[in-house]
């Protein structure tokens, strides 16, 4: 069971989603107002946010950014009628872990949510990984650089962890999608590209002295995490 914050102003759609999520065992808090939802997010943590971008009182993309700041480790899934590719990219860069275009079959929706929640619950027995200045603690879901915490979103952390488990080795796009998202992924790998780009930028912007591991793109294959210190 997960604590789900549902933000949907269409009452018909909201009722269907709340009923379906509840039937799947989740504890659902439903809000039709963006401002009320933000207050609720600040009061009580959630495991997953299902966010409609077309809210009447707040810009959905900006709200996604605020939610990410309030709930840094929460899974955020956007559910919207905006199907343009640029909207998808903007939504993911605003902090969403996934972007679904309405109408979405309930079976697919629940498959996606299960995958996100499963990947979010990382195996606590994994050993810490150190690559030069970078240290990854899977048990605490924490990354640090030179001993200082290096904040990452949920999927960014899982991508970095997956690549760091095999430093210097090529990891295919299909493997990353299966291991970080789900083996039965629906749709394109644009989500992977956006998350890799953001993670690469954050690693490049890390402060301090000395080189950092870098993510190399392998054309028509995938990615490789290169330890800058060899």
């Amino acid at each position: 069971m997960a604590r789900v914050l549902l933000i949907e102003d269409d009452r018909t759609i909201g009722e269907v989603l709340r009923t379906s999520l509840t039937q799947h065992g989740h504890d659902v808090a439903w809000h039709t107002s963006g401002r009320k939802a933000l207050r609720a997010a600040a009061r009580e943590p959630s495991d997953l946010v299902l966010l409609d971008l077309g809210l009447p009182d707040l810009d959905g993309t900006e709200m996604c950014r605020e939610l990410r700041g309030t709930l840094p480790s929460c899974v955020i899934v956007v559910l919207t009628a905006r199907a343009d590719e640029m909207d998808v990219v903007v939504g993911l860069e605003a902090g969403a872990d996934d972007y679904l275009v309405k109408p979405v079959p309930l079976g697919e929706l629940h498959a996606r949510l299960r995958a996100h929640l499963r990947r979010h619950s990382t195996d606590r027995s994994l050993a810490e990984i150190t690559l030069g200045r970078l240290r990854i603690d899977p048990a605490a879901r924490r990354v640090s650089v030179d001993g200082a915490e290096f904040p990452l979103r949920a999927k960014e952390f899982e991508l970095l962890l997956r690549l760091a488990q095999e430093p210097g080795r090529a990891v295919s796009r299909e493997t990353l999608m299966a291991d970080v998202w789900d083996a039965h992924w629906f749709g394109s790998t644009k989500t992977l590209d956006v998350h890799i780009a953001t993670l690469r930028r954050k690693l490049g912007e890390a402060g301090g002295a000395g080189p950092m591991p870098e993510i190399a793109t392998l054309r028509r294959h995938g990615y490789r995490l290169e330890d800058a210190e060899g």
Side-chain angles (χ1 to χ4, degrees), residues 163 168-173 196 200 215-226:
L163 290 168
R169 296 189 63 180
V171 184
S172 71
R173 297 169 64 85
I196 285 286
R200 181 183 282 135
I215 300 175
T217 299
L218 307 176
R219 190 180 179 194
R220 297 181 181 177
H221 181 75
Y223 299 94
R224 179 179 63 235
L225 185 65
E226 298 180 337

Side-chain angles (χ1 to χ4, degrees), residues 87-116:
D87 288 325
V88 177
V89 172
V90 171
L92 293 171
E93 290 184 339
D97 294 290
D98 202 354
Y99 191 107
L100 306 180
V101 178
K102 297 177 181 176
V104 180
L106 288 176
E108 177 181 340
L109 173 64
H110 286 294
R112 293 277 193 120
L113 299 187
R114 283 195 302 271
H116 284 297

Side-chain angles (χ1 to χ4, degrees), residues 159-160 162-177 179-181 188-201 203 214-227:
L159 270 175
L160 180 61
R162 179 62 185 85
L163 290 168
Q165 288 170 338
E166 297 184 90
R169 296 189 63 180
V171 184
S172 71
R173 297 169 64 85
E174 292 76 17
T175 297
L176 287 171
M177 293 302 299
D179 290 351
V180 176
W181 276 269
S188 75
T189 58
K190 176 60 71 175
T191 294
L192 171 62
D193 297 333
V194 173
H195 279 79
I196 285 286
T198 304
L199 180 57
R200 181 183 282 135
R201 174 178 56 78
L203 290 172
E214 298 179 351
I215 300 175
T217 299
L218 307 176
R219 190 180 179 194
R220 297 181 181 177
H221 181 75
Y223 299 94
R224 179 179 63 235
L225 185 65
E226 298 180 337
D227 187 347

Side-chain angles (χ1 to χ4, degrees), residues 5 31 33-44 57 63 67 70:
L5 178 60
H31 293 276
S33 159
R35 290 186 176 86
K36 289 182 179 179
L38 285 174
R39 289 196 292 270
R43 286 195 308 269
E44 192 167 5
D57 59 334
M63 185 171 175
L67 284 167
T70 304

Side-chain angles (χ1 to χ4, degrees), residues 111-154:
R112 293 277 193 120
L113 299 187
R114 283 195 302 271
H116 284 297
L117 291 170
R118 183 170 62 251
R119 301 302 176 190
H120 192 58
S121 301
T122 303
D123 185 353
R124 303 302 184 188
S125 67
L126 292 174
E128 293 185 5
I129 298 172
T130 300
L131 295 171
R133 300 166 56 208
L134 189 70
R135 187 177 184 85
I136 304 171
D137 182 352
R141 293 184 65 84
R142 180 179 292 121
V143 177
S144 58
V145 175
D146 297 331
E149 187 158 355
F150 186 66
L152 294 175
R153 304 203 311 256

